[in-house]
Amino acid sequence: MKVFVSVDMEGVSGLTDPEEMRAPGRGYERGCELMTADANAAVRAAFDAGAAEVVVADSHGRGRNLRADLIDERCALVRGTHQPMHMGEGLDASFDVALYVGYHARAGVPLGVLNHTWMGREIHDVRLNGAAAGEIRLMAAYAGTLGVPVGLVTGDAAACAEARETLGAVPAVAVKEGRDRYAAVLVPPPRAQRMIYEEALRSLRDPSGWRRLDVDPPYTLEVEWSSTAIARSCAVIPGVTATGPRSTAFTSGDYTEIVGLLGVLALIAGDVGCTGRHYG
């Protein structure tokens, strides 16, 4: 069995503050350790379930958060900036299943801890073939185009609800429950990591709970931006059309173009938006 583990940070156990999500914020280094510990819980479960190979992708921000010196030495770690497939970097059709650890709810979801979609301030909404799409749907759809199902989602309660709304009865572990965007009732990390390990192990031993998201091509990505300036700048890219004062759309028969383009649009939006902060 070959297992892909994509690890974001906002849904990691113990974390609630934007400062914990980026350097040199207060608590960031500890946040990286907690992120690595949640990842290791899933990796350990994968090997205990009989996996021959586990690839872990650092899927937060610039991809330099997981502690390479603390990650389970049996896995392969995908790390670094400007990865073409971003949160899905390293995934291909040879994998049996994908696990999404530390994921969060899409932008605007009530009580979603650190909720956003792809960017903290610049993106108000994303839709994939007309359906509201957070990072869970976007990445599950990418896996689906490769024939790979999702076997686990961990994060806050809102992220787990979004995963089940998107994928059906997929195994999920809620490590915290939001009280506001920056506040939550937490499962203490040691217990949360045991929960991740136990559910990942159960899921990987029983593939009946795995769920694949199949989205029919062509794929249309619609983005509502925070400003007219971002939308106008993004619409300069060939193939990207303005669909409103603050919105753009792009259609392709190749889902890798959807993921890759979203990363390029985010670079433009970050530059045009000139925001020095994240998550609003």
Side-chain angles (χ1 to χ4, degrees), residues 34-274:
L34 290 169
M35 180 184 182
T36 307
D38 279 14
N40 279 341
V43 173
R44 182 164 63 93
F47 282 112
D48 286 354
E53 183 177 351
V54 178
V55 174
V56 178
D58 189 327
S59 299
H60 176 72
R62 294 182 176 272
R64 301 182 302 198
N65 313 280
L66 287 170
R67 287 279 301 270
D69 58 328
L70 297 178
I71 199 75
D72 191 308
E73 64 181 21
R74 295 171 293 178
C75 76
L77 175 61
V78 179
R79 188 177 189 273
T81 59
H82 305 303
Q83 300 171 20
M85 291 297 102
H86 306 281
M87 302 176 82
E89 188 68 29
L91 179 64
D92 59 40
S94 70
F95 285 84
D96 295 287
V97 64
L99 311 182
Y100 296 153
V101 173
Y103 271 54
H104 55 82
R106 66 180 182 269
V109 171
L111 304 183
V113 180
L114 297 162
N115 68 79
H116 67 282
T117 301
W118 213 260
M119 306 185 75
R121 293 168 61 95
E122 294 84 354
I123 292 178
H124 282 180
D125 189 32
V126 173
R127 306 189 81 79
L128 177 63
N129 285 15
E135 291 162 31
I136 293 170
R137 181 179 291 274
L138 291 168
M139 288 298 102
Y142 176 53
T145 65
L146 298 170
V148 179
V150 178
L152 179 72
V153 177
T154 82
D156 70 314
C160 292
E162 184 175 323
R164 290 177 175 131
E165 173 189 317
T166 303
L167 292 162
V170 67
V173 177
V175 301
K176 50 194 166 188
E177 183 174 356
R179 288 294 177 264
D180 204 339
R181 200 181 189 197
Y182 308 116
V185 176
L186 304 174
V187 176
R191 177 155 56 94
Q193 288 149 19
R194 287 196 299 272
M195 292 164 56
I196 292 169
Y197 169 80
E198 290 167 0
E199 187 64 9
L201 183 64
R202 186 206 63 76
S203 175
L204 292 171
R205 285 177 170 172
D206 179 14
S208 66
W210 300 357
R211 296 291 183 268
R212 193 175 81 190
L213 181 61
D214 294 315
V215 179
D216 294 331
Y219 311 105
T220 297
L221 182 77
E222 301 171 88
V223 183
E224 181 186 351
W225 302 96
S226 62
S227 76
T228 56
I230 294 174
R232 283 175 59 86
S233 295
C234 290
V236 170
I237 297 175
V240 178
T241 60
T243 55
R246 292 190 294 113
S247 58
T248 59
F250 175 76
T251 298
S252 175
D254 181 352
Y255 198 85
T256 63
E257 292 187 354
I258 295 293
V259 178
L261 179 79
L262 186 53
V264 173
L265 295 180
L267 289 174
I268 294 171
D271 185 59
V272 174
C274 295

